[in-house]
Amino acid sequence: MKSGRYIGVMSGTSLDGVDVVLAAIDEHTVAQQASYCHPMPLAFKQAILDVCQGQAVTLSTLGQLDTCLGKLFAEAVLMLLKQTELDASDIMAIGCHGQTVWHEPVGDALCALQIGDNNQIAALTGITTVGDFRRRDIALGGHGAPLVPGFHYALLMHQDERRVVLNIGGIANISLLASDCPVRDYDTRAREHVAGCLDLASSRATL
């Protein structure tokens, strides 16, 4: 990753608003420089919650929500830029998680679906935008939470201790940090993996 300023975009499970953060990142540090919470219209919030809660939805409605949420994310980014008096050219890239409307980490075909069209964000801000993190992680054998374990590793890794970190959210996940094995992470609903993760962590007492 090139050193520079980056913007992260996130709307949580509660859909209370759109959080955007400006960070300066290099190979050694991540320093927050500014943040902003953009309001989420109540009617729009309810429409997304309806989809998340399993209400029947047409492809047209889902597509419209995807587009409109992408535009809302872009509005949030533009407001942050305005508040910090920065231009699009000052930002290396935007990372946007998207809004998860379905997550199924068990079964024969693991899947997750996020909305919030990154193309809208890129077009409206003029900044390179990346996203769809969950599905790439699932395709590579994960459970759809690829970003948090890396953060846990950078912040909490210890050479002599095995640690388990619980990330509490709408869909919680666990990271196992141990110097003698790669970072492992599991969705808490994938019970057999969580049990194995906890067993590995507790084994430190017998080492």
Side-chain angles (χ1 to χ4, degrees):
M1 176 184 287
K2 293 182 179 179
S3 298
R5 291 189 177 102
Y6 292 82
I7 290 177
V9 182
M10 179 76 176
S11 56
T13 308
S14 63
L15 286 164
D16 290 335
V18 179
D19 293 316
V20 286
V21 172
L22 173 68
I25 301 176
D26 60 31
E27 59 181 303
H28 301 294
T29 60
V30 176
Q32 179 178 316
Q33 296 188 326
S35 63
Y36 166 69
C37 184
H38 195 65
M40 175 79 68
L42 290 179
F44 190 45
K45 170 181 176 177
Q46 189 57 54
I48 297 173
L49 286 174
D50 288 344
V51 176
C52 297
Q53 293 166 358
Q55 179 172 305
V57 62
T58 66
L59 290 177
S60 175
T61 297
L62 188 61
Q64 290 178 41
L65 289 174
D66 184 40
T67 296
C68 291
L69 187 56
K71 291 181 177 180
L72 189 70
F73 287 160
E75 288 178 11
V77 170
L78 292 172
M79 184 61 70
L80 179 68
L81 291 177
K82 181 178 180 180
Q83 290 184 356
T84 55
E85 299 182 343
L86 293 173
D87 297 321
S89 60
D90 295 318
I91 309 301
M92 299 295 295
I94 296 169
C96 182
H97 178 279
Q99 180 63 46
T100 301
V101 293
W102 187 255
H103 184 58
E104 192 170 341
V106 295
D108 295 330
L110 312 187
C111 60
L113 178 63
Q114 283 71 235
I115 61 173
D117 186 5
N118 289 312
N119 298 287
Q120 293 290 336
I121 302 172
L124 293 171
T125 64
I127 302 170
T128 298
T129 304
V130 296
D132 208 10
F133 306 117
R134 277 188 179 275
R135 293 200 298 174
R136 180 64 181 272
D137 185 61
I138 287 174
L140 293 172
H143 289 98
L147 303 182
V148 170
F151 175 73
H152 289 164
Y153 176 86
L155 188 68
L156 298 170
M157 181 67 176
H158 193 282
Q159 290 301 313
D160 301 319
E161 294 182 356
R162 291 186 173 189
R163 296 177 173 181
V164 170
V165 185
L166 173 62
N167 178 52
I168 299 175
I171 302 169
N173 46 73
I174 283 176
S175 300
L176 171 64
L177 307 178
S179 60
D180 59 348
C181 66
V183 178
R184 303 183 192 182
D185 64 288
Y186 308 106
D187 188 288
T188 55
R189 290 189 293 180
R191 296 177 183 174
E192 70 281 6
H193 295 297
V194 172
C197 182
L198 293 175
D199 287 344
L200 281 170
S202 64
S203 68
R204 177 178 176 270
T206 62
L207 294 178

